[in-house]
Amino acid sequence: MTASVIRKQVRLPVSVAFGVVMQGIRIRLGRSIVTLMGVMLGIAFLMSILTGQTVRQGVGRETAARIELGRMMSFLTAEIGPVSERTLGVVAVGPLNDPERRLVARLRELGAAGLQWSGAVPAEYPAGWIKPVAAGEVGVGTAAVLVMGEGRVPGLDWGTVMTNAAEKVVATTRKALAVPAAGGMAVTSLEREWQPDEVEARELGARRLAFRTIWIIVISLLVTVIGIANAMLMSVTERFREIGTMKCLGALSAFIRQVFFIEASLLGVTGSVVGCLVGYGFAVLAYSLTYGFDLVGAALSMPQMAMHMLLCTVAGVVLSVVAAIYPAGVASRMMPADALRSTV
Amino acid sequence: MRVNKAQFEAMFPPGTEGGRRTIIRAVDVKKVYRMGAIETQALRGVTVDIYEGEYLSIMGPSGSGKSTLFNMIGGLAKPTAGKVYIDQVDIAQLDHNELAWLRCRKIGYVFQTYNLIRVMTCLENVMLPMSFAGLDSEEAREKAMYILKLVGLAHRPLHKPGELSGGQQQRCALARALANSPDIVLADEPTANLDQHTGEEMIELFATLRDELGVTIISATHDLKMLKRSDRILWIEDGQIVRAAHPKDVDFSSGDFH
Ligand SMILES: Nc1ncnc2c1ncn2[C@@H]1O[C@H](COP(=O)(O)OP(=O)(O)OP(=O)(O)O)[C@@H](O)[C@H]1O
Ligand SMILES: [Mg+2]
């Protein structure tokens, strides 16, 4: 044997680390599943809280909108009787807002014969049910005329509408357009008149809700952080001995970090995605049992769900990686003999 | 800065014993373990030259510092004071890449507590250092099976350490130590759990490694047969080397050798 020099340990390709990870997950399937469950539960919790907030806010909005619609409809039916088989006139002086769209949909649901329509025609109704007419002709032979939207239509004047509508009801859906008395006839607004103290109460309620939302999200984030960190820390610390042994056998610190990084990412991604779905499904189901599927369905929004899922997944992966990599990095930097004994 | 060979030899003249080359040199190595306010002096200044191709046995009562010394000369822990040279290189000056190479290729360790990886099979444990050395898995499997045959464990490659007897685990640990054909084998009580016959086989295996491949064997042991077979025996007591002798100068029958 000749005098040998000390050389540098080879850096192994990432595929070797990946192989070690897959083997590790396979061998420790039970343990991996427990860790995965930790991540999954944390993220499911966070996701269900976020979804719950969306649902509650949405349900609040939806309920208010339904009450508003009910109020508009009861005004109309009080004036003209049941709307089924009747034709109404609509002057759309601008784009429709949500209550207006709901009103049109409700009229169709209740079996109104059709709408005479002046202005931009909504596309979602069958041809024939909405009959476009010139602005000056709205109101001929209709039970009532509704002015929707906010703005001005050239060539429309209240006089013509009043004349066309004859003795019939003319109403606007925006209070800004209401005319106190035009040609001896008041044009009333269907939009609710909020009293100052009501507005104040509503704003206070909104502020309270916003505060509570932030509070709940902060708390649930903390719970998630602790849950995931705990699961990942456990799975790393119980392998300190193994890390020490690997170092004794010539593993580079970088290799050990790589192994834990890959493993934490895999567990983080899988756990987060499953957790998102579970949390979402659970929240939707639980709220549906309280509020009904119909209301919850109306309250949910796809883009918001997608954003929450993205947020939760990113949070889950980042948390898992940080919680696993940090202690693994510390252990891998220790002298092997210390890592063998360490229990940090 | 690394000490080169000329500087080294100026500082420490080469060992005289048969003009052999020093492979490991410990100079006044001290190790203090601190646990809160309690300090344990595990090594109180150990100076020793270990020669290439030597079969060295280390004896000493429990707690005398044998395992600690192994950790120091094996590059697994930093001494509190003193220097350790392997192949004339001060290992305190090696970077982590070089230390990893040393632990992987140059030295094979048999730990007192085996330190087998519980979740891996016997075969995978033996293959692990080979994969750190960059061997592809087919090659590694073949070589690992060959080594397992050498230590008489070829019939149990797929058992996990927990499913093996103490002696079988010890042999698995020995097989793992030999995985990358090390120049030095550091074995902490390698025959403690082996029966008479298997123990003798291991001793023969060590002797063969030394004779055929020039491997340096350093082992902590109380096994008479092993002591008698070795080239030199060191006695360590309370963290210090108190005696060194060739086995033929030791009266094993009197019991004074303890
Ligand atoms: N990591 C540690 N932390 C604190 N004290 C330690 C540590 N390792 C060893 N010691 C102490 O150092 C001394 C020497 O221990 P060592 O393990 O080297 O003894 P040993 O000769 O190998 O004993 P045995 O024959 O029982 O294996 C003991 O007093 C022990 O308590
Ligand atoms: Mg010991």
Side-chain angles (χ1 to χ4, degrees):
Chain A
M1 197 185 71
T2 53
S4 50
V5 279
I6 290 163
R7 275 173 294 176
K8 286 185 188 289
Q9 180 70 305
V10 287
R11 244 180 186 282
L12 299 170
V14 179
S15 61
V16 176
F18 201 80
V20 169
V21 171
M22 292 322 280
Q23 189 196 29
I25 288 181
R26 189 168 46 77
I27 291 170
R28 263 184 275 263
L29 196 60
R31 175 70 240 194
S32 305
I33 288 175
V34 170
T35 311
L36 197 73
M37 292 282 279
V39 176
M40 198 204 79
L41 283 179
I43 293 303
F45 179 66
L46 187 62
M47 187 68 192
S48 68
I49 294 291
L50 291 177
T51 308
Q53 290 297 322
T54 312
V55 168
R56 269 210 302 282
Q57 277 170 13
V59 164
R61 261 199 314 275
E62 184 68 20
T63 314
R66 286 184 187 189
I67 290 172
E68 189 65 12
L69 177 65
R71 229 177 37 73
M72 288 185 183
M73 283 309 299
S74 55
F75 173 85
L76 260 186
T77 44
E79 295 287 331
I80 64 169
V83 294
S84 71
E85 308 297 329
R86 316 275 293 268
T87 303
L88 287 92
V90 172
V91 181
V93 297
L96 304 193
N97 64 7
D98 184 56
E100 286 160 349
R101 274 195 299 273
R102 282 171 189 267
L103 183 59
V104 173
R106 188 80 183 131
L107 290 173
R108 170 138 178 86
E109 253 173 49
L110 292 175
L115 298 182
Q116 265 184 12
W117 196 282
S118 149
V121 178
E124 64 263 36
Y125 296 100
W129 192 70
I130 285 184
K131 303 173 206 81
V133 294
E137 288 161 28
V138 174
V140 180
T142 62
V145 174
L146 301 170
V147 179
M148 297 188 179
E150 207 163 345
R152 290 201 154 275
V153 177
L156 173 83
D157 66 279
W158 285 115
T160 317
V161 175
M162 295 294 179
T163 316
N164 287 347
E167 288 299 300
K168 289 163 203 126
V169 177
V170 176
T172 67
T173 48
R174 310 270 179 114
K175 76 174 177 283
L177 285 187
V179 181
M185 196 176 188
V187 177
T188 42
S189 157
L190 297 184
E191 191 177 352
R192 175 155 181 208
E193 193 91 47
W194 289 91
Q195 300 304 310
D197 52 344
E198 272 182 318
V199 174
E200 204 173 294
R202 202 170 53 160
E203 277 169 4
L204 187 68
R207 272 206 302 279
R208 261 202 207 122
L209 187 68
F211 178 74
R212 230 185 66 181
T213 305
I214 291 171
W215 178 240
I216 288 178
I217 288 175
V218 166
I219 292 288
S220 58
L221 243 153
L222 274 179
V223 171
T224 306
V225 167
I226 291 169
I228 293 180
N230 188 43
M232 297 305 282
L233 269 175
M234 286 281 288
S235 92
V236 175
T237 44
E238 68 177 21
R239 285 151 76 182
F240 265 23
R241 215 182 149 72
E242 200 178 304
I243 295 177
T245 306
M246 287 196 177
K247 283 221 81 184
C248 290
L249 300 177
L252 290 172
S253 307
F255 177 80
I256 290 168
R257 274 198 305 276
Q258 233 173 43
V259 165
F260 281 90
F261 177 76
I262 294 173
E263 183 174 314
S265 315
L266 283 181
L267 292 181
V269 169
T270 320
S272 300
V273 169
V274 176
C276 277
L277 297 176
V278 169
Y280 185 76
F282 177 78
V284 168
L285 198 72
Y287 280 102
S288 294
L289 293 180
T290 319
Y291 296 126
F293 282 96
D294 158 54
L295 198 55
V296 171
L300 288 169
S301 99
M302 276 291 148
Q304 192 151 31
M305 180 201 72
M307 214 192 68
H308 285 162
M309 285 207 172
L310 189 70
L311 194 93
C312 288
T313 309
V314 169
V317 175
V318 169
L319 279 172
S320 308
V321 169
V322 170
I325 283 296
Y326 179 70
V330 171
S332 77
R333 275 192 303 275
M334 282 196 258
M335 286 303 278
D338 302 331
L340 273 177
R341 287 172 177 265
S342 176
T343 50
V344 173
Chain B
M1 202 205 72
R2 187 173 304 173
V3 176
N4 66 27
K5 195 170 173 177
Q7 279 174 301
F8 177 87
E9 290 185 348
M11 283 158 69
F12 307 104
T16 45
E17 206 170 274
R20 281 186 295 170
R21 206 169 73 87
T22 303
I23 193 160
I24 294 179
R25 166 171 286 178
V27 182
D28 200 24
V29 169
K30 292 182 179 142
K31 181 69 180 180
V32 181
Y33 288 111
R34 281 193 187 83
M35 296 195 304
I38 309 163
E39 281 195 359
T40 311
Q41 302 242 353
L43 293 177
R44 298 167 188 269
V46 170
T47 299
V48 64
D49 271 7
I50 299 166
Y51 306 104
E52 191 167 54
E54 184 179 25
Y55 191 157
L56 180 72
S57 291
I58 298 177
M59 284 189 67
S62 178
S64 56
K66 301 182 295 293
S67 300
T68 307
L69 180 63
F70 275 29
N71 285 342
M72 300 303 140
I73 61 180
L76 301 181
K78 281 197 180 83
T80 311
K83 293 216 171 292
V84 174
Y85 301 85
I86 296 177
D87 262 345
Q88 284 130 34
V89 175
D90 177 359
I91 61 170
Q93 287 169 5
L94 297 179
D95 67 23
H96 66 275
N97 261 327
E98 292 165 323
L99 274 174
W101 182 88
L102 193 84
R103 294 176 193 134
C104 186
R105 309 288 196 104
K106 185 95 184 160
I107 306 175
Y109 308 89
V110 183
F111 299 97
Q112 192 167 15
T113 47
Y114 315 139
N115 294 352
L116 294 170
I117 292 181
R118 281 181 302 122
V119 293
M120 292 189 180
T121 64
C122 180
L123 183 68
E124 285 164 344
N125 265 286
V126 179
M127 285 166 63
L128 193 63
M130 300 182 189
S131 72
F132 291 151
L135 229 63
D136 73 65
S137 65
E138 266 323 297
E139 237 177 308
R141 188 180 306 276
E142 217 164 279
K143 191 173 173 197
M145 279 309 292
Y146 171 76
I147 298 175
L148 282 176
K149 213 173 285 164
L150 273 187
V151 300
L153 215 52
H155 58 302
R156 291 264 133 93
L158 300 182
H159 286 61
K160 301 222 173 102
E163 301 155 4
L164 297 173
S165 73
Q168 287 169 332
Q169 289 180 41
Q170 198 153 31
R171 280 182 278 164
C172 180
L174 178 59
R176 191 179 63 182
L178 301 178
N180 286 326
S181 319
D183 292 340
I184 304 165
V185 173
L186 272 173
D188 205 344
E189 311 258 10
T191 56
N193 275 310
L194 302 182
D195 61 86
Q196 195 83 339
H197 174 70
T198 327
E200 276 169 39
E201 273 181 5
M202 288 310 111
I203 295 164
E204 278 319 305
L205 178 60
F206 280 149
T208 312
L209 287 172
R210 174 197 54 182
D211 297 339
E212 309 272 311
L213 302 169
V215 176
T216 308
I217 313 274
I218 307 163
S219 75
T221 187
H222 292 98
D223 186 332
L224 265 187
K225 289 203 183 62
M226 192 147 188
L227 290 169
K228 285 180 179 160
R229 203 75 163 76
S230 52
D231 298 324
R232 189 157 56 125
I233 304 171
L234 295 181
W235 280 263
I236 179 166
E237 242 167 60
D238 197 19
Q240 277 171 314
I241 293 178
V242 292
R243 185 179 167 196
H246 192 276
K248 69 174 184 292
D249 305 324
V250 179
D251 182 6
F252 287 104
S253 56
S254 73
D256 86 310
F257 73 97
H258 273 296

